[in-house]
Amino acid sequence: MASALFWSVDDRSPSDPLPPLEQGQHLDRETFHERYCAMPPGTHAELIQGKVYMPSPLYSPHSLSDGTLVVWLGLYVAATPGTRPLPGISTCLGEDGEVQPDQTLVIEPARGGQVREDERKRLAVPPELVVEVASSSESYDLHEKYDMYERSQVREYLVVLVLEKAVRWFTRTEAGFTELQPEPDGLLRSRVFPGLWLDPDALIRHDIQLIKLALDRGLASAEHEEFVQRLQAAAP
């Protein structure tokens, strides 16, 4: 049987007579979700370690980076059946966390992936790869949210720092997250998704052609071919 599709649904009902969400509130996850669903359409909020965060509207530097990431991950998924991109999906992390990462990449559960949905179509188990676009290293993406992703067993976490023009990619080890370092050719290589190679400088410059060239090298690698074969062998 085919694996479930992982798309979040907008189940908000503005008519619910619930208190509004406010920046800085301390709530449990289910109370947060109930109030979030009652907020006006277009509201964006996350619960991180039991605290409500309501980010400001997104502007062009963030959108440019996010759009570039969509292309990069989309090209990988197109060449890697059994993987799936889930941008902005609501993700439950323990009893005190519900977030909507900019980008998420998963392996389908039917092919050995770790994610699962709950009854509300949220991810109930942490995904393999989470990607966030942050203003700088001072952002909560590299502090509170980093701690939550590490604690929740997210396997890899990539952060694009817009103001600092930098990319940081963390992968899980027995001791927790450790930061990936570029190979001699300057590329970053995922340890969870074989063949998912990234030119961080090209990403900062939004150079799609160079990003594709680096990714094409990864997709042509023996490790990616072996990964695709494993995913195909696991297909139901």
Side-chain angles (χ1 to χ4, degrees):
M1 188 171 93
S3 60
L5 296 178
F6 289 93
W7 298 109
S8 60
V9 294
D10 188 355
D11 54 359
R12 300 178 190 178
S13 176
S15 62
D16 288 348
L18 293 171
L21 283 179
E22 295 180 5
Q23 174 80 18
Q25 288 175 323
H26 288 80
L27 304 172
D28 62 76
R29 194 186 73 206
E30 289 308 307
T31 300
F32 165 82
H33 185 78
E34 187 178 22
R35 293 187 186 181
Y36 190 15
C37 291
M39 294 292 286
T43 300
H44 182 60
E46 296 182 310
L47 186 70
I48 301 173
Q49 298 185 28
K51 183 178 179 179
V52 176
Y53 288 79
M54 302 183 73
S56 61
L58 303 182
Y59 299 102
S60 59
H62 185 290
S63 295
L64 277 171
S65 296
D66 205 20
T68 304
L69 290 164
V70 169
V71 174
W72 174 58
L73 293 175
L75 290 171
Y76 181 80
V77 169
T80 317
T83 62
R84 192 176 298 278
L86 302 172
I89 190 168
S90 292
T91 304
C92 299
L93 299 171
E95 294 303 316
D96 61 354
E98 182 176 338
V99 295
Q100 293 174 292
D102 290 313
Q103 303 296 328
T104 297
L105 183 64
V106 304
I107 300 170
E108 294 177 355
R111 309 206 189 205
Q114 66 181 32
V115 295
R116 299 293 185 273
E117 288 180 338
D118 66 10
E119 68 282 357
R120 292 172 171 167
K121 302 300 181 182
R122 303 172 297 183
L123 291 190
V125 176
E128 281 80 11
L129 172 65
V130 168
V131 184
E132 298 278 15
V133 180
S135 58
S136 73
S137 61
E138 297 177 355
S139 167
Y140 65 88
D141 294 274
L142 277 177
H143 295 278
E144 294 92 343
K145 192 176 281 189
Y146 173 99
D147 292 340
M148 186 176 61
Y149 287 149
E150 184 179 43
R151 180 196 69 195
S152 303
Q153 304 297 309
V154 169
R155 296 184 65 189
E156 288 194 328
Y157 180 36
L158 188 153
V159 186
V160 181
L161 303 173
V162 174
L163 295 180
E164 297 173 9
K165 300 185 184 303
V167 176
R168 300 185 67 181
W169 196 336
F170 305 93
T171 192
R172 176 161 299 285
T173 66
E174 291 184 0
F177 278 154
T178 186
E179 188 166 359
L180 292 175
Q181 299 301 318
E183 300 293 333
D185 57 8
L187 302 185
L188 292 167
R189 292 164 165 78
S190 172
R191 295 181 182 176
V192 175
F193 291 93
L196 185 61
W197 295 8
L198 176 65
D199 182 333
D201 294 332
L203 176 60
I204 293 300
R205 298 195 306 271
H206 315 296
D207 190 328
I208 299 296
Q209 290 185 332
L210 286 182
I211 288 172
K212 185 177 183 300
L213 284 175
L215 180 60
D216 284 344
R217 290 177 55 196
L219 297 178
S221 66
E223 65 183 69
H224 181 258
E225 181 179 358
E226 293 171 0
F227 184 49
V228 170
Q229 291 175 355
R230 291 202 305 272
L231 293 174
Q232 290 175 338

